[in-house]
Amino acid sequence: MAGWGGFFVSLLNYKTEKYVIAENRKIGILFRLYQLAVLGYIIGWVFVVKKGYQEREEALQTSVITKLKGVTLTNSSQTGLQLWGAEDYVIPPNGEQVFFIVTNYIETPNQRLGFCAESFKVPNGRCQSDDDCIEGETVTAGHGIKTGLCLNSTGTCEIQAWCPVESGSRPTEPLLSEAENFTIYIKNFIRFPKFEFSKSNVLETSNDSYLKGCTYDSQDNVYCPIFRLGDLVSWTGYEFQDLAAKGGSVGILIEWECDLDKDSSQCNPRYSFSRLDMNLNNSVTSGYNFRYARYYKDQNGETFRTLYKVYGIRFDIMINGQAGKFNIVPTIIAIGSGIALLGAGAFACDMILLYMMNTSSFYRERKFEIINFKNDKSKPKDGKTGQRERRNRKPAAEKEVANSLKKPEDTEAAAGNQLPEDVRGPTVPRNTGQRYSAMVPPQGGEPRRHITISSHN
């Protein structure tokens, strides 16, 4: 219990720093190098590179509007000539942030509801007898519902579906090869609500013909967001014709890095382009396609449709950005963290001096000192130097300077008045300007004691 009591009492002690100058060049050089490294980190990295003096906002509010233009003509054996406009090859056509452009397709025209043979390409649709075609069962990954009959002519089950089923193969060359000359207009609005700052990636001009004749250039026309599809795909590192045959996915990233301590004209959009889908040669995972149909009615009111399996390029437009502006709070935090790092250097050097050197015990004796006011006051004053005397005592260096400034005659006179140490008693200072000394008579005579007073002006 006594140990625990001493521990709790020690918690009430106050600890203060004691500065000790350790004349150790290795530790001194190490400490200064650490200080320079911390200062370089704070000034170079925190303030210059990361702008640690700014308040940041990454909650970007954004809106994207897209518009495509361009027409092309296709000629197929089934439907003949067909003119494709933006309303035909853009899905969806309403200018969203994610859209798809048709570059190749398989067309199955004039499909009507009825009974027909399943495609032999569908494994679950193959059969050898009627027992393999359970009536009412859906063909897995197929086109319809089994009727219970196995058609020996095709080796597949009869199904109820839109007939005839899709049977064509993908063209090796993209049917809409001229799509690389189409243009895409990407209009982006951003807003940083914390700083009430808004901007657009379109040049603010009243000239109506500006957007009709410009195309994007990273050096000259940053604020003309009209891109040629062939150029846009080539910036990803791929050829447009190769991507258009099987399809793919392209990402368009618009980044806004705004330093609001500067003029708003310095806040410019930065574009980057990349292919997002896996590009594996001869792999079923490469490419991008899906199906859709267009429905019609004949003169008898019967519904029929044209099925399209389309290949093309999916575009994903992503917006990212952040803004910064000077604020005193992050500045103080950055400076405070730097001061804390400087303190860590001093702590590390102290640990080396205290525990990792041959003179660690000597350094610990000089660094740590325990002061007990009660014990110091209860000690006898005999043999101890008083507080006033300690205050008035001069260092040895000051005494040497004072002695060197004395006049020669004063020095000689003082030397004549001095007595040998075995004759003169100890000198005790009393008042300013006077010295009292006890005189001891020579041996052999009757001891007489008297006091002489010498005045020093």
Side-chain angles (χ1 to χ4, degrees):
M1 295 300 295
W4 283 105
F7 169 75
F8 287 113
V9 171
S10 66
L11 295 178
L12 302 178
N13 295 336
Y14 171 72
K15 296 180 181 180
T16 184
E17 290 183 323
K18 179 180 180 181
Y19 294 96
V20 178
I21 299 176
E23 295 183 349
N24 188 312
R25 292 186 179 275
K26 293 181 180 180
I27 298 298
I29 293 173
L30 176 63
F31 183 58
R32 297 308 176 193
L33 289 177
Y34 177 82
Q35 286 181 323
L36 289 176
V38 171
L39 289 176
Y41 164 76
I42 295 173
I43 297 174
W45 179 257
V46 176
F47 284 104
V48 177
V49 178
K50 291 298 183 179
K51 294 182 173 60
Y53 56 87
Q54 289 185 336
E55 181 183 10
R56 313 293 295 180
E57 182 183 18
E58 298 181 358
L60 178 66
Q61 297 177 353
T62 180
S63 175
V64 176
I65 301 173
T66 58
K67 184 185 297 185
L68 280 94
K69 288 186 177 181
V71 294
T72 187
L73 192 67
T74 60
N75 189 4
S76 65
S77 58
Q78 294 177 333
T79 59
L81 291 175
Q82 184 175 354
L83 184 67
W84 291 75
E87 61 278 3
D88 300 314
Y89 58 74
V90 179
I91 303 172
N94 55 346
E96 293 186 357
Q97 192 167 341
V98 178
F99 57 92
F100 176 85
I101 297 178
V102 178
T103 56
N104 205 359
Y105 63 92
I106 300 173
E107 183 180 9
T108 307
N110 198 25
Q111 282 188 327
R112 298 174 182 269
L113 284 174
F115 300 93
C116 56
E118 179 62 277
S119 173
F120 192 78
K121 295 179 181 180
V122 181
N124 187 248
R126 300 170 188 172
C127 64
Q128 295 180 351
S129 65
D130 294 344
D131 295 336
D132 297 329
C133 304
I134 302 175
E135 184 178 0
E137 183 181 61
T138 302
V139 180
T140 304
H143 300 88
I145 300 174
K146 298 177 182 179
T147 62
L149 297 178
C150 179
L151 303 178
N152 296 327
S153 59
T154 59
T156 59
C157 297
E158 183 186 58
I159 60 173
Q160 183 178 8
W162 289 95
C163 300
V165 297
E166 178 184 291
S167 59
S169 60
R170 175 182 59 84
T172 56
E173 297 294 330
L175 296 178
L176 279 74
S177 59
E178 293 299 322
E180 64 178 336
N181 296 317
F182 296 168
T183 59
I184 173 175
Y185 170 46
I186 305 174
K187 183 163 54 174
N188 177 217
F189 299 94
I190 63 162
R191 180 175 179 269
F192 294 100
K194 181 182 293 186
F195 304 120
E196 294 295 332
F197 178 80
S198 302
K199 200 169 184 180
S200 172
N201 67 334
V202 183
L203 182 67
E204 297 181 2
T205 178
S206 58
N207 186 3
D208 296 337
S209 62
Y210 173 73
L211 292 176
K212 296 180 179 179
C214 72
T215 54
Y216 172 79
D217 186 89
S218 59
Q219 300 296 329
D220 299 329
N221 286 327
V222 179
Y223 284 91
C224 178
I226 297 178
F227 303 88
R228 180 177 169 271
L229 290 186
D231 296 335
L232 195 151
V233 173
S234 66
W235 290 333
T236 66
Y238 295 89
E239 294 294 332
F240 180 85
Q241 296 299 327
D242 296 338
L243 193 64
K246 296 180 63 176
S249 179
V250 173
I252 304 174
L253 176 62
I254 306 177
E255 293 183 287
W256 295 85
E257 296 289 338
C258 299
D259 186 354
L260 300 185
D261 293 327
K262 301 178 181 179
D263 189 74
S264 60
S265 60
Q266 302 297 319
C267 177
N268 299 319
R270 186 169 67 251
Y271 298 86
S272 59
F273 310 91
S274 60
R275 183 171 179 178
L276 302 179
D277 65 306
M278 296 289 292
N279 181 33
L280 302 176
N281 294 329
N282 299 322
S283 173
V284 295
T285 60
S286 61
Y288 187 87
N289 64 80
F290 63 91
R291 294 174 176 84
Y292 76 95
R294 293 176 179 174
Y295 292 85
Y296 310 94
K297 286 185 179 292
D298 59 13
Q299 58 185 0
N300 298 322
E302 186 179 352
T303 301
F304 67 98
R305 73 177 191 178
T306 299
L307 177 67
Y308 292 92
K309 181 180 181 180
V310 293
Y311 302 81
I313 305 174
R314 170 191 168 115
F315 291 91
D316 294 78
I317 302 176
M318 299 162 285
I319 313 298
N320 188 20
Q322 60 180 346
K325 193 174 184 179
F326 174 78
N327 191 289
I328 191 62
V329 174
T331 303
I332 293 176
I333 293 175
I335 295 174
S337 63
I339 295 174
L341 288 176
L342 291 175
F347 175 78
C349 291
D350 274 348
M351 292 299 101
I352 295 174
L353 287 171
L354 287 171
Y355 302 107
M356 302 180 186
M357 300 187 68
N358 295 331
T359 57
S360 295
S361 59
F362 177 77
Y363 180 73
R364 284 196 295 271
E365 292 176 0
R366 295 297 183 270
K367 182 173 177 61
F368 300 110
E369 180 179 356
I370 300 176
I371 300 175
N372 192 318
F373 293 99
K374 293 182 179 181
N375 294 339
D376 290 346
K377 289 181 179 180
S378 63
K379 288 181 179 180
K381 297 183 179 180
D382 297 340
K384 298 295 183 178
T385 304
Q387 182 178 359
R388 183 177 299 176
E389 182 179 353
R390 290 198 301 270
R391 191 185 306 118
N392 295 333
R393 182 182 297 170
K394 296 181 179 179
E398 295 182 5
K399 289 183 178 180
E400 292 178 3
V401 175
N403 293 334
S404 64
L405 296 178
K406 288 183 179 180
K407 295 181 181 179
E409 55 272 16
D410 294 343
T411 306
E412 294 176 359
N417 293 333
Q418 289 181 352
L419 295 177
E421 293 182 358
D422 56 349
V423 177
R424 189 184 63 181
T427 302
V428 181
R430 298 294 183 182
N431 295 320
T432 304
Q434 295 183 347
R435 175 178 294 175
Y436 298 84
S437 62
M439 304 299 295
V440 180
Q443 294 181 357
E446 184 178 351
R448 292 185 302 172
R449 300 181 182 276
H450 66 276
I451 297 175
T452 61
I453 301 175
S454 60
S455 175
H456 296 273
N457 295 326

